Amino acid sequence: MFLNINSEDDIMQLRSDSNVEAVYRVIRSQDGDIHVLTDDILVKVNSGERIESVFSQLNIPYISKSPIDGLEDVFLVRVPSSDKALDIVNRLMSSNLVVYAEPDFIRFTDAPAANTTVDNYSPQQWAIKNTFTGFDVNALLAWRISKGKDIKVAVIDEGVDLNHPDLKANLLPGYDTTNWGSPGQNGDAAPNDSHGTACAGVIAAVENNIGMTGIAPQCKVIPVRIATGDTIDGKKKWKSTSSSTANGIIKAYKDGAADVLSCSFGQTPPGAVSATVKDAIASATTKGRNGRGSIVVFSTGNDTMSRVNPYCLLDEVISAGAINLNGSRPDFSNYGNGLKVVAPGSSIYTTDISGITGSSSGDYCYFGGTSASCPYVAGIAALLLSVKPDALASSVASWIYTSCRKLPAYQYSVRDNNGTWNNETGYGLVDAYEAIIASKPFTMIVPDLLCECETHTFSLSGSTDRCDSIVWDLYSGGEIISGAGTNSVEVRISDAPGYSVPFTASVYYGDRAVTVEEWIHAGIPETYDIIGADEATEWEYMHVEAIMEGATSYTWELLQGKCGIWAYDNKADLMPYDTNHVIISVTGYNRCGSWNEWISFTPDHRTSNRNSRQAGAKSVIIYNLSYKQIYSHKNLIAPFDINTVNLPSGFYIIEYQLENGIITREKVYVP
């Protein structure tokens, strides 16, 4: 109950009443949101600090503390009185012991708005197939490649109707982080809290020939209740806390192993954004999916403003604004800096709380706002991950951005790495099919080498069972002997020319083709070049490399002249001993055969005296190639002459210590 009380005596009287559990002060922001100041605060201590030590050093009492699981150094701390919570937060922030401290307000914010206006000419689910203007998410073509199988999408909201006939087959056990009573178990929604159920329907309503179908109908939804509905002054408000929101995000990606998080909620003004929630988002996008990052999608908001939901300003978040059936931004859809993409958000036919009659009959309603756009984008992310399960979160975002359809009513004049951008529609309208194509959904599985008269199997990974046809295009030396028109063909190699040859498969969906190409080496190795032997000088090292395509092993052989060879694979260090002409044979091998090339050079004469070394050396040590010391001399007063040591012919390592203390080593040959 909210009461307007100005008397401290009245407050004390309420607190002393045995029928009253707690009395908290209320702050109302300029935009009308209500923040209830509780006796809980959120604190992130500096790395290496202990929470107990921080409060002890500042002489601040507390009742209990508990870590926020999944966030490093973040704690929920209960203080003796909510009246002192702001003062304690300010004292902590004024110290150098914490990263941040903030009240864990119970917030009563406007419930995520929904545009429930139904256009008389709007068919059901125009977002899936828009037969009037064509502005849809291109789902029907995308479904021929992916329907989101094996992907988990968490709906971070006010819960989901767990018994809805069009949802329950796709629902996984969920979470309730509000601790505000029944319902809530497994993310269940209260009878009047329909927002999360509508979002879940957009994502994953089941293909069962009743009601409607989600954008990713084979994915699974994890319901996460972070808020509940409450009515204040006759208007529905969302009741939530920073800790319930942060815990919901962490539960989703950590305990539920969610691949995608759909977040159709926001926070205004920007200054009210919780540092703890931002920490939780960062944790999900970096640690989720075993370090590849969970995909986090937020709605931009429905405030008719040129300013997006502050969470959309985070680089790692995919932000979604709305368009209507005509491909235009509705007035309610927030836009501006931070907007990434737009998706259908007006008159969206979706699931409602079972037994509640909305704008349609039965268990369905028309829903809208950017709250509807967000789950469409989250569902498209699920389609992508179903064909690319190991993709990084950043890659998924890039595929979505770069494949967007540019809307004709808007100019896309701002360019960055993801293409062109517009202030009102971001990179444009999301396109499920083009995003999947951008991800390169098929991979050709091929042998690593082809030899003449061999037979090999070439195949495509990925689901091709709903394509219209598959056309293989082989180079002239390959012949399909079985499997033509399927995703796996048997090929006979009649000619292996000794270089790489192309194999192409085109997967057709109507008049659209997804083309996969691989180049494979066919035949014996082939030398393109041997580099590094252009200039040779006696008694000096040079490094050479044989660029030989298709070789798996190599041999190096001195055919003429005097030259040391230290070979490793296709590379070698060479040292000619004199100025006579040198010829070296390099042979590359694979199971098809071998290819031989020659290195030919005449070394230049070395002008410096190889026997008089390192003037200014203070000491010298000589080792053999096993690094066994065989000679040393300290306190040199003249340049060292290697000939005075009477060493047998061979290679040695000489180590000098110069007068400035620097130690140098070099390999030499004694003839």
Side-chain angles (χ1 to χ4, degrees):
M1 180 181 293
F2 288 91
L3 300 174
N4 187 6
I5 298 176
N6 296 318
S7 167
E8 291 295 327
D9 290 340
D10 289 344
I11 294 174
M12 294 302 296
Q13 182 177 347
L14 279 171
R15 283 179 170 161
S16 64
D17 191 324
S18 61
N19 296 311
V20 175
E21 180 177 332
V23 177
Y24 298 129
R25 298 179 186 274
V26 173
I27 301 171
R28 189 185 295 270
S29 61
Q30 289 182 346
D31 59 2
D33 286 349
I34 295 171
H35 298 66
V36 178
L37 193 64
T38 71
D39 43 15
D40 287 331
I41 64 174
L42 290 157
V43 183
K44 180 171 186 175
V45 299
N46 290 336
S47 179
E49 292 281 2
R50 296 175 64 247
I51 188 72
E52 302 91 343
S53 175
V54 169
F55 276 73
S56 175
Q57 290 179 61
L58 298 176
N59 196 26
I60 298 174
Y62 65 92
I63 296 174
S64 63
K65 58 173 175 47
S66 57
I68 300 293
D69 185 33
L71 296 183
E72 294 182 5
D73 304 319
V74 181
F75 298 85
L76 183 66
V77 181
R78 178 151 293 176
V79 297
S81 170
S82 61
D83 292 349
K84 300 295 183 182
L86 279 179
D87 291 338
I88 292 172
V89 165
N90 287 333
R91 287 181 61 189
L92 288 165
M93 288 297 289
S94 297
S95 75
N96 59 357
L97 303 175
V98 303
V99 178
Y100 62 75
E102 59 185 5
D104 191 26
F105 289 117
I106 298 175
R107 288 189 173 93
F108 288 84
T109 59
D110 287 342
N115 171 24
T116 56
T117 301
V118 182
D119 297 324
N120 293 329
Y121 56 85
S122 175
Q124 294 179 334
Q125 290 200 269
W126 66 265
I128 299 297
K129 179 63 176 177
N130 187 341
T131 58
F132 289 89
T133 63
F135 296 110
D136 56 45
V137 298
N138 207 4
L140 299 183
L141 206 51
W143 286 347
R144 301 181 73 175
I145 305 174
S146 172
K147 291 189 176 181
K149 187 178 181 181
D150 298 327
I151 302 303
K152 301 175 183 177
V153 181
V155 175
I156 315 294
D157 213 281
E158 59 184 11
V160 173
D161 180 357
L162 303 185
N163 295 307
H164 196 288
D166 221 2
L167 291 175
K168 59 184 179 181
N170 275 346
L171 295 180
L172 297 174
Y175 307 95
D176 176 21
T177 57
T178 67
N179 298 315
W180 289 327
S182 180
Q185 186 176 8
N186 283 327
D188 197 7
N192 292 319
D193 290 350
S194 60
H195 191 268
T197 302
C199 292
V202 169
I203 296 169
V206 182
E207 292 178 290
N208 53 12
N209 294 319
I210 63 171
M212 44 86 63
T213 302
I215 179 67
Q218 292 180 2
C219 79
K220 299 298 183 183
V221 163
I222 302 170
V224 182
R225 187 169 85 150
I226 62 164
T228 60
D230 211 330
T231 301
I232 299 175
D233 298 332
K235 185 176 182 180
K236 184 175 179 179
K237 295 280 187 177
W238 248 29
K239 178 184 177 184
S240 65
T241 65
S242 296
S243 59
S244 70
T245 305
N247 276 321
I249 292 170
I250 293 166
K251 284 282 188 185
Y253 91 81
K254 190 176 181 185
D255 298 348
D259 302 290
V260 184
L261 280 64
S262 180
C263 306
S264 290
F265 64 89
Q267 192 65 58
T268 54
V273 173
S274 164
T276 309
V277 174
K278 289 170 66 176
D279 249 7
I281 295 169
S283 183
T285 55
T286 54
K287 298 178 181 177
R289 299 175 56 245
N290 295 318
R292 293 184 292 270
S294 296
I295 289 81
V296 177
V297 186
F298 268 89
S299 54
T300 60
N302 310 306
D303 307 302
T304 318
M305 298 174 63
S306 59
R307 183 182 72 191
V308 298
N309 168 9
Y311 293 125
C312 295
L313 296 173
L314 302 175
D315 289 340
E316 60 269 29
V317 163
I318 299 177
S319 57
I323 65 158
N324 58 25
L325 181 144
N326 295 312
S328 300
R329 180 186 67 84
D331 289 341
F332 62 77
S333 181
N334 290 3
Y335 62 97
N337 184 37
L339 169 64
K340 304 292 178 50
V341 298
V342 290
S346 294
S347 304
I348 303 302
Y349 189 68
T350 186
T351 47
D352 195 7
I353 296 288
S354 300
I356 303 296
T357 302
S359 299
S360 184
S361 60
D363 300 333
Y364 302 88
C365 66
Y366 281 92
F367 176 65
T370 59
S371 288
S373 309
C374 173
Y376 272 119
V377 178
I380 290 173
L383 299 180
L384 285 164
L385 288 176
S386 186
V387 296
K388 289 288 186 176
D390 295 328
L392 297 175
S394 57
S395 297
V396 174
S398 178
W399 296 330
I400 291 173
Y401 300 155
T402 56
S403 62
C404 279
R405 177 181 178 183
K406 306 304 180 184
L407 297 167
Y410 301 90
Q411 295 293 321
Y412 296 85
S413 56
V414 179
R415 179 175 291 277
D416 61 20
N417 292 336
N418 295 309
T420 53
W421 181 89
N422 174 269
N423 189 48
E424 294 189 59
T425 60
Y427 295 113
L429 170 61
V430 287
D431 189 308
Y433 174 75
E434 293 296 342
I436 292 173
I437 299 309
S439 75
K440 300 185 183 337
F442 305 119
T443 302
M444 191 185 298
I445 303 170
V446 298
D448 57 357
L449 179 66
L450 306 174
C451 298
E452 286 186 10
C453 304
E454 289 183 343
T455 299
H456 293 281
T457 298
F458 294 75
S459 59
L460 293 175
S461 67
S463 176
T464 59
D465 56 320
R466 302 188 75 237
C467 73
D468 292 317
S469 62
I470 300 175
V471 177
W472 291 84
D473 185 14
L474 313 180
Y475 83 106
S476 58
E479 174 192 4
I480 296 177
I481 57 177
S482 66
T486 71
N487 67 351
S488 182
V489 294
E490 193 174 6
V491 176
R492 179 180 290 117
I493 306 302
S494 59
D495 178 38
Y499 49 82
S500 290
V501 293
F503 288 79
T504 302
S506 298
V507 185
Y508 281 89
Y509 298 91
D511 60 352
R512 303 295 302 276
V514 183
T515 300
V516 185
E517 183 179 72
E518 287 289 343
W519 287 73
I520 311 165
H521 189 86
I524 63 174
E526 181 186 38
T527 300
Y528 285 143
D529 196 7
I530 296 179
I531 58 175
D534 298 333
E535 296 182 4
T537 303
E538 63 171 340
W539 303 109
E540 289 187 358
Y541 280 107
M542 61 179 177
H543 179 78
V544 296
E545 182 175 351
I547 310 299
M548 195 172 291
E549 183 189 288
T552 55
S553 62
Y554 302 83
T555 59
W556 297 71
E557 182 182 3
L558 179 63
L559 302 180
Q560 178 180 314
K562 294 182 179 181
C563 185
I565 303 174
W566 296 269
Y568 39 100
D569 294 330
N570 66 320
K571 303 177 181 66
D573 289 327
L574 308 179
M575 178 186 282
Y577 305 158
D578 55 31
T579 58
N580 292 322
H581 190 69
V582 174
I583 299 176
I584 296 173
S585 171
V586 185
T587 306
Y589 303 86
N590 63 25
R591 61 181 177 79
C592 299
S594 63
W595 181 269
N596 182 254
E597 287 285 348
W598 292 268
I599 307 173
S600 179
F601 58 86
T602 301
D604 294 332
H605 177 67
R606 181 172 179 175
T607 57
S608 60
N609 182 359
R610 67 177 177 86
N611 293 324
S612 180
R613 298 184 180 270
Q614 295 288 356
K618 190 175 181 181
S619 64
V620 65
I621 302 174
I622 300 179
Y623 302 91
N624 63 18
L625 292 184
S626 299
Y627 252 93
K628 180 180 178 181
Q629 180 177 321
I630 58 176
Y631 177 85
S632 67
H633 196 300
K634 297 182 178 180
N635 301 318
L636 295 175
I637 59 175
F640 170 67
D641 187 349
I642 196 171
N643 286 339
T644 64
V645 184
N646 297 318
L647 296 174
S649 176
F651 283 93
Y652 297 91
I653 298 170
I654 302 182
E655 179 180 282
Y656 303 98
Q657 182 177 1
L658 305 182
E659 291 178 347
N660 59 8
I662 295 175
I663 295 176
T664 63
R665 296 181 181 89
E666 65 175 311
K667 186 188 290 184
V668 300
Y669 179 77
V670 175

